[in-house]
Amino acid sequence: MSPPPLDSDDDPKAPLLPDLCFAQVLVKFDNDDHGWPAEAKTSSRNMLAVLAWIFSWWLTEAVPMPITSMSPLFLFPMFGISSADDVAHSYMDDVISLVLGTFILALAIENYNIHRRLALNVSLTQFPFKIFFLMYIGWRNVVQTYIYLLI
């Protein structure tokens, strides 16, 4: 007994096949580039194919977004566009590493509820009159703004 044939809607990898075929057509497409060097022509064509491939993954969400965003790390060296070191250096610039580390730290703070603990400790250790005074000033400003808008 053979399994029933899969429709393209049932197969989770079905959207990948047209992307791969489209990228292969772009790589193999050869036209006259009016005197461009052969390596520049090949590199440009490969870059266009990788760009179309990544864009179709991004647009159709056939592959999860983290894999789509990291795909130049393996596609650029595979198509000969750039070396793996150059691509990795552009992914791990100093500023990008700083932002990534900040996001990881924020997720850890949120996971262990450190933000709530910090807010509770600050509110309990401060003199309660200060907190009520700040709330009064804030509410007074809201009421004054509302009155000014009515005038």
Side-chain angles (χ1 to χ4, degrees):
M1 184 172 184
S2 64
L6 288 175
D7 292 338
S8 62
D9 296 336
D10 296 337
D11 188 11
K13 295 183 181 171
L16 300 179
L17 187 61
D19 300 337
L20 185 60
C21 292
F22 182 65
Q24 188 175 11
V25 166
L26 284 176
V27 168
K28 298 297 180 186
F29 183 68
D30 192 16
N31 60 355
D32 186 26
D33 284 335
H34 306 292
W36 281 67
E39 61 271 356
K41 185 170 68 169
T42 304
S43 177
S44 299
R45 209 172 331 117
N46 289 350
M47 182 65 190
L48 181 63
V50 169
L51 180 67
W53 192 350
I54 293 172
F55 179 71
S56 64
W57 276 359
W58 174 75
L59 192 64
T60 61
E61 293 185 16
V63 176
M65 284 296 164
I67 295 174
T68 303
S69 66
M70 299 302 271
S71 60
L73 280 172
F74 61 88
L75 287 177
F76 283 5
M78 186 168 43
F79 281 93
I81 297 168
S82 181
S83 69
D85 286 338
D86 292 339
V87 178
H89 283 300
S90 64
Y91 267 87
M92 280 304 169
D93 188 33
D94 292 339
V95 175
I96 293 174
S97 299
L98 178 69
V99 171
L100 182 65
T102 305
F103 287 154
I104 291 171
L105 183 64
L107 285 174
I109 287 173
E110 185 179 359
N111 188 29
Y112 292 105
N113 289 327
I114 296 174
H115 61 292
R116 290 183 181 178
R117 294 177 190 178
L118 183 63
L120 183 63
N121 285 337
V122 168
S123 65
L124 291 179
T125 58
Q126 296 293 324
F127 187 65
F129 177 73
K130 287 182 182 178
I131 294 172
F132 289 120
F133 180 71
L134 291 174
M135 287 172 37
Y136 168 73
I137 289 179
W139 179 249
R140 191 184 72 184
N141 289 338
V142 169
V143 171
Q144 286 176 351
T145 305
Y146 183 69
I147 290 172
Y148 287 142
L149 289 175
L150 290 176
I151 295 177

